[in-house]
Amino acid sequence: GWARAVRGLLLDVSGVLYDSGADGGVPIAGSVEAVRRIKASGLKLRFCTNETQATRENFVKKLRGMGFDICVSEVTAPAPAACHILKERGLRPHLLVHDDLVPEFAEVDKTNPNCVVLGDAAENFTYANLNEAFRVLIGMEKPVLISLGRGRYYKETDGLKLDVGAYMKALEYACDVQAEVVGKPSERFFESALAEMGVPAEQAIMIGDDIVNDVGGAQRCGMRALQVRTGKYRPSDENHPDVKPDAYVNNLAEAVDIILQQL
């Protein structure tokens, strides 16, 4: 029943379409063809990613190089949403993000920071850089910490890697502040993707590898959500105490087979 009355699909990217890595990453078997079939079917499609190690333009260029039919206008990502919030609220960020993401903030005033924006900074997550972000926050009367996601870990070709959520929690604890999460699993993120597709939540399905951020976040917005057994998936996810996907599928290709049979 979960596959019926679907008008739109939201796809996580890392762990669903491909596994990232130092060499750029590799597509997951069947995922390139699955995206092609979704587009040929006429279903609405958004790529919903917490990717914060590259601009959307460079991220899409990498995926196109792997054979995926994808363009920048189809991607919902945290950095552009964060820039909108910063401008809307007159916030000037101290950035602790990956070097390759910095161009996304080119039009944002960064002088005399009055908040911290945290992304998956990877090798930039040094003690010195974390301590600098800590000092900016602790020096504020009302500290503002904006995190581009809260994932615990993700999968690359050489294994699991710590994600931004671990560092977010460290700054929250040290500064007695609660971060504002811009990416998944925030409701605002999913609602933005649905609005961009023009599809109501009850007619959309989210497909992801993260039991909490992809599946749980989407379900809280009224969507159905599937967990793939690729990417960061672990068998223990199937016993999660709080989040129960509408279904488990071995990979994106299997999910697409089932959904298209119902059209």
Side-chain angles (χ1 to χ4, degrees), residues 167-230:
Y167 303 95
M168 179 194 85
K169 287 294 184 182
L171 290 173
E172 282 186 330
Y173 177 70
C175 301
D176 193 22
V177 62
Q178 184 168 350
E180 301 175 36
V181 180
V182 176
K184 296 176 289 185
S186 76
E187 289 187 20
R188 183 170 178 169
F189 181 91
F190 286 110
E191 288 166 355
S192 174
L194 288 168
E196 288 160 356
M197 286 199 303
V199 173
E202 62 271 16
Q203 295 181 349
I205 293 178
M206 174 72 198
I207 303 175
D209 67 329
D210 189 313
I211 186 72
V212 174
N213 293 327
D214 295 331
V215 176
Q219 287 178 331
R220 282 195 299 276
C221 288
M223 284 184 270
R224 286 161 278 176
L226 313 181
Q227 186 178 17
V228 292
R229 295 187 176 103
T230 56

Side-chain angles (χ1 to χ4, degrees), residues 158-169:
D158 63 346
L160 298 177
K161 302 290 179 74
L162 276 177
D163 204 351
V164 62
Y167 303 95
M168 179 194 85
K169 287 294 184 182

Side-chain angles (χ1 to χ4, degrees), residues 14 20 50-54 78 96-101 117-125 147-149 151 153-154 156 161-165 167:
S14 178
S20 59
N50 272 2
E51 169 66 42
T52 57
Q53 288 195 13
L96 179 45
V97 300
H98 196 283
D99 289 341
D100 292 341
L101 190 70
V117 170
L118 187 68
D120 182 9
E123 303 303 323
N124 284 346
F125 276 136
S147 185
L148 308 181
Y153 54 85
Y154 56 93
E156 289 198 339
K161 302 290 179 74
L162 276 177
D163 204 351
V164 62
Y167 303 95

Side-chain angles (χ1 to χ4, degrees), residues 29-62:
S31 59
V32 171
E33 176 67 9
V35 170
R36 187 197 66 75
R37 293 180 67 203
I38 293 168
K39 291 196 167 186
S41 74
L43 287 170
K44 298 290 185 69
L45 177 62
R46 293 298 295 179
F47 299 93
C48 295
T49 180
N50 272 2
E51 169 66 42
T52 57
Q53 288 195 13
T55 62
R56 281 186 302 169
E57 287 76 10
N58 287 337
F59 182 56
V60 165
K61 182 179 179 181
K62 178 175 74 172

